[in-house]
Amino acid sequence: MRKVLLFFLPVAVLTVLAGSFYLLSDTSEKQSVLAISRASAANRQKRVPRRLRLTPTPTPSPTKILIPTPTKIPTPTPVKTETSQQTTFVTPTGVPSQSVSTDSVKDYIMQKINEYRLSQGLSGVKTDSYSCDFAKLRAEEIAQNFNHDGFSNRINAKSLPYPSYHEVTENIAMTPDYKDVVSMWINSSGHAENMRRDTPLVCVERNGNYYAYEGWRP
């Protein structure tokens, strides 16, 4: 029996040692494989990704915005209209009328003005001190400067020599023949309109060949 034990004991030891070596070898091999797998995974994580070859995206061209060219609007040409202050220039002709008295000239002109008004279905006008004084002053002024500035400036400055008024008019003329004055005004639409206005107080005064018509309605 002792001999049998002595025979099997070494065999058992060898078997145990062989099994242990196998187990150790297998475990080491598995650990090596695991270590290699881990190293491979780590290498994959550390690997720098391959640079992709990208086709450059073309830069879009800026959109061209069309700005309309401003249309040039033509400036309207002022239309010259006749006003109550229209000036008539007359070339001196005929015989000077200085020899006729001022009162006679005034009476004649006032008569012709009223004849014209009556022909238009209007009542006659009459003179007064305010209109005659202003007409005399304006006749002196237009003998120096033949225009309506003296009348217009007084309107703007509110310095017309009337106590108060609702409407005022002025006509001027230059002619050597006083008998032509009213017919000249009748043939000019602006002057004719002034003679038809509702200004019951009117006077015409003369300074040489210059005539001033002033009318007003209180």
Side-chain angles (χ1 to χ4, degrees):
M1 185 65 180
R2 183 177 294 180
K3 292 180 179 180
V4 173
L5 290 173
L6 289 174
F7 175 78
F8 283 104
L9 182 60
V11 173
V13 171
L14 291 174
T15 302
V16 170
L17 290 174
S20 298
F21 178 79
Y22 175 77
L23 289 175
L24 289 173
S25 176
D26 185 57
T27 301
S28 178
E29 184 179 356
K30 288 182 178 179
Q31 288 178 350
S32 298
V33 171
L34 182 60
I36 293 171
S37 298
R38 288 177 179 174
S40 177
N43 290 334
R44 284 199 301 271
Q45 290 179 354
K46 293 181 180 180
R47 183 180 297 172
V48 178
R50 186 175 56 183
R51 184 174 297 175
L52 298 179
R53 183 177 181 183
L54 300 177
T55 303
T57 303
T59 304
S61 300
T63 304
K64 186 176 182 181
I65 301 175
L66 295 176
I67 301 175
T69 303
T71 303
K72 185 177 181 181
I73 301 175
T75 304
T77 303
V79 178
K80 184 177 181 180
T81 58
E82 292 181 306
T83 66
S84 60
Q85 303 172 27
Q86 183 181 0
T87 302
T88 301
F89 295 88
V90 181
T91 303
T93 57
V95 180
S97 56
Q98 279 84 350
S99 58
V100 183
S101 68
T102 300
D103 289 340
S104 297
V105 170
K106 183 191 301 183
D107 291 343
Y108 178 86
I109 291 175
M110 292 303 301
Q111 180 184 347
K112 292 299 180 181
I113 290 172
N114 280 328
E115 287 178 0
Y116 173 69
R117 285 180 61 87
L118 291 172
S119 71
Q120 302 296 309
L122 303 172
S123 60
V125 296
K126 60 182 181 180
T127 61
D128 75 311
S129 60
Y130 291 109
S131 59
C132 287
D133 289 346
F134 189 34
K136 186 178 294 185
L137 174 61
R138 288 293 293 136
E140 294 173 358
E141 290 178 349
I142 64 174
Q144 303 301 318
N145 294 294
F146 191 60
N147 55 51
H148 291 285
D149 290 351
F151 181 71
S152 301
N153 293 340
R154 287 180 174 90
I155 290 178
N156 295 332
K158 296 181 173 55
S159 61
L160 287 173
Y162 303 124
S164 64
Y165 60 88
H166 290 85
E167 189 167 3
V168 293
T169 57
E170 176 179 89
N171 282 345
I172 61 177
M174 187 271 289
T175 177
D177 190 349
Y178 69 93
K179 294 182 180 181
D180 292 336
V181 172
V182 176
S183 61
M184 289 162 52
W185 287 337
I186 291 173
N187 292 326
S188 170
S189 59
H191 294 85
E193 182 182 355
N194 274 353
M195 291 192 293
R196 295 193 303 269
R197 287 186 180 276
D198 183 17
T199 52
L201 301 174
V202 173
C203 189
V204 177
E205 292 287 355
R206 178 186 72 168
N207 186 302
N209 293 336
Y210 297 88
Y211 299 83
Y213 170 116
E214 302 298 332
W216 70 294
R217 175 165 60 88

